[in-house]
Amino acid sequence: MAEQRRSAGALATFIGTMRDFNEGDTVTRMTLEYYPGMTERQLAAIVETAKARWQLIDALVIHRVGEVWPGDPIVLVGVWSTHRAAAFDACRYLMEELKSRAPFWKKEALGVGERWVSCNTPGYSSCG
C-alpha cells in the first residue's frame, strides 16, 4: 500500500476527541464497549462502501475501546486519494457512517452517577 500512497495527491484525516460535557452535564470519563468481530466487520463494510463511492487509494479507521478521559483521542479516520475533493468527502462520510452504523456503546461517568449515551451528537447523521 505504501507504493500506491505515493500517487496520492491528498490525505484527509479526522481525529475525534472526548469532550468534558454532554447534554448539559459534566462528563469525567467514558467507557466505550463494542462487540468483537461484529464491530470490525461493520467498520470494514463502511470503508468498502466509501472505496466504491469515491476513487480512493486507501482508507483507515481506528476506534478506541475501554476507558477514555476528556481530551483523549477516540477515533482516527484517514483517507488517501489522488484529489482532495474525494479525500475530504470520503473522510466525512466515513466518520458520519461510523457514528450512525458502527456498534459501539458509550457509558458516561458524570459528576453524580453514570448513563448510557442513547444518541450521538449531531453531524450530518444523527438520531432523531
Side-chain angles (χ1 to χ4, degrees):
M1 208 50 71
E3 296 257 339
Q4 290 177 336
R5 287 186 185 153
R6 286 192 288 180
S7 65
L11 164 60
T13 59
F14 174 83
I15 298 174
T17 58
M18 185 189 155
R19 293 181 311 276
D20 64 354
F21 66 93
N22 190 28
E23 298 180 14
D25 296 313
T26 298
V27 180
T28 60
R29 182 185 76 253
M30 185 166 52
T31 303
L32 294 155
E33 296 183 5
Y34 76 114
Y35 191 93
M38 181 173 73
T39 301
E40 291 88 349
R41 282 191 300 277
Q42 187 62 46
L43 291 175
I46 292 167
V47 168
E48 288 308 310
T49 300
K51 286 181 176 180
R53 189 168 170 182
W54 290 277
Q55 292 184 329
L56 304 181
I57 295 167
D58 202 3
L60 173 70
V61 176
I62 299 173
H63 201 293
R64 287 182 62 179
V65 295
E67 289 189 332
V68 293
W69 288 265
D72 283 354
I74 298 173
V75 62
L76 166 70
V77 175
V79 178
W80 292 262
S81 181
T82 306
H83 300 287
R84 69 182 175 277
F88 280 132
D89 292 347
C91 189
R92 176 79 186 228
Y93 170 85
L94 287 169
M95 192 61 225
E96 297 300 329
E97 290 297 297
L98 180 154
K99 293 286 277 185
S100 64
R101 292 179 37 204
F104 289 98
W105 296 271
K106 301 173 185 176
K107 183 168 44 174
E108 296 174 329
L110 309 172
V112 176
E114 297 179 328
R115 70 173 169 218
W116 289 98
V117 175
S118 60
C119 181
N120 283 306
T121 55
Y124 287 142
S125 303
S126 65
C127 55

